[in-house]
Amino acid sequence: MILLHTTGRILRQLRHDRRTVAMLVAVPTLLLTLLYFMYDSQPGVFDHIALIMLGVFPFIIMFLITSIAMLRERTTGTLERLLTTPLRKTDLLFGYGLAFGLAAAVQAGFASALAYLLLDLDTQGAAGYVVMIAVANAVLGMALGLLASAFAKTEFQAVQFMPVLAVPQLLLCGLFVPRELMAGWLQAISDVLPLTYAVEALQEVGAHAEPTGTMWRDFGIVAGAVVVALVAAAGTLRRRTP
């Protein structure tokens, strides 16, 4: 019940924050539409880029939203008060995970519907697997956002962590340059970044009609990274007063 109460509280906060709702739903669809017209004269390029972006957008957006939301709870004393109640850290973290996972499912559903139905995105695999990976990416972004919020004192500082935790993953995931063409030390870094495996899983969906072993392995790695990030984030949830 405590977990569901926490999830409900976070969802109510999201519902009353119109800017956040707009970022969740409108921004990915607008960016996908922009990509469609950018690559309209290059057949096949939009399918490749948009498929990956369907997984990347939730990661980046959830990182931004969660890091700022948790920072507000820290700075306003809400987190301090919550930790004086019977609420366990796991209840809080999984409450965030469930709430933002539901929000990510809505976001991925809207974006995927637009991409497949209106922008003619074509993949060999089913759209459901794309949504599944996108939701996992969103939860990963949320977990990293929770972690980043512990080291920021202002919302501006929270946003500054994105170039540290999110942008390197975007650059090295194979979207811009195939990983096999990178220098060896860059490949080694790429091998330990979870977004690399999310992108590879999406590429597997794009290339194969049925889910492959590589796709499930990569999805498992992303899920494992979520658990590691949540455990690390749990370590930052401490009362600062006796």
Side-chain angles (χ1 to χ4, degrees):
M1 290 300 295
I2 295 178
L3 173 62
L4 294 178
H5 176 75
T6 303
T7 302
R9 179 180 65 84
I10 297 168
L11 288 175
R12 285 191 296 272
Q13 289 177 345
L14 286 175
R15 185 184 63 185
H16 290 100
D17 189 341
R18 295 182 179 179
R19 292 183 180 179
T20 298
V21 173
M23 179 175 285
L24 284 171
V25 178
V27 171
T29 56
L30 290 174
L31 292 177
L32 284 172
T33 303
L34 177 62
L35 284 174
Y36 176 79
F37 286 106
M38 285 174 58
Y39 295 108
D40 189 34
S41 61
Q42 303 178 49
V45 176
F46 172 76
D47 290 340
H48 172 70
I49 299 295
L51 174 63
I52 295 176
M53 288 297 104
L54 283 170
V56 170
F57 287 151
F59 173 80
I60 294 176
I61 292 174
M62 288 299 177
F63 178 89
L64 287 172
I65 291 174
T66 309
S67 59
I68 293 173
M70 178 54 76
L71 179 62
R72 287 177 180 173
E73 296 212 332
R74 292 178 189 273
T75 57
T76 60
T78 302
L79 179 61
E80 191 82 358
R81 291 192 296 270
L82 287 173
L83 292 178
T84 64
T85 70
L87 177 72
R88 295 173 298 181
K89 293 180 181 180
T90 53
D91 290 326
L92 180 61
L93 289 173
F94 281 99
Y96 262 88
L98 184 55
F100 281 106
L102 291 172
V106 173
Q107 179 194 59
F110 269 100
S112 297
L114 173 81
Y116 281 96
L117 299 178
L118 298 181
L119 302 181
D120 299 323
L121 176 64
D122 183 31
T123 59
Q124 294 296 319
Y129 293 113
V130 176
V131 173
M132 178 185 73
I133 297 168
V135 171
N137 267 6
V139 178
L140 176 63
M142 176 219 67
L144 292 176
L146 291 175
L147 182 61
S149 70
F151 303 98
K153 294 183 179 180
T154 65
E155 294 181 6
F156 180 67
Q157 289 182 2
V159 173
Q160 287 179 315
F161 275 96
M162 192 177 77
V164 178
L165 295 176
V167 174
Q169 298 195 60
L170 183 61
L171 294 176
L172 298 178
C173 69
L175 173 61
F176 300 101
V177 178
R179 294 177 61 244
E180 59 271 15
L181 299 181
M182 296 179 184
W185 63 277
L186 287 177
Q187 290 187 42
I189 296 174
S190 178
D191 286 341
V192 299
L193 299 178
L195 194 60
T196 297
Y197 299 96
V199 168
E200 187 177 53
L202 289 168
Q203 290 172 335
E204 288 291 302
V205 175
H208 302 279
E210 298 295 330
T212 64
T214 300
M215 189 211 80
W216 287 118
R217 182 206 65 186
D218 292 341
F219 179 77
I221 291 174
V222 174
V226 169
V227 174
V228 171
L230 285 175
V231 170
T236 70
L237 300 178
R238 299 188 183 92
R239 290 187 61 188
R240 299 185 181 183
T241 58

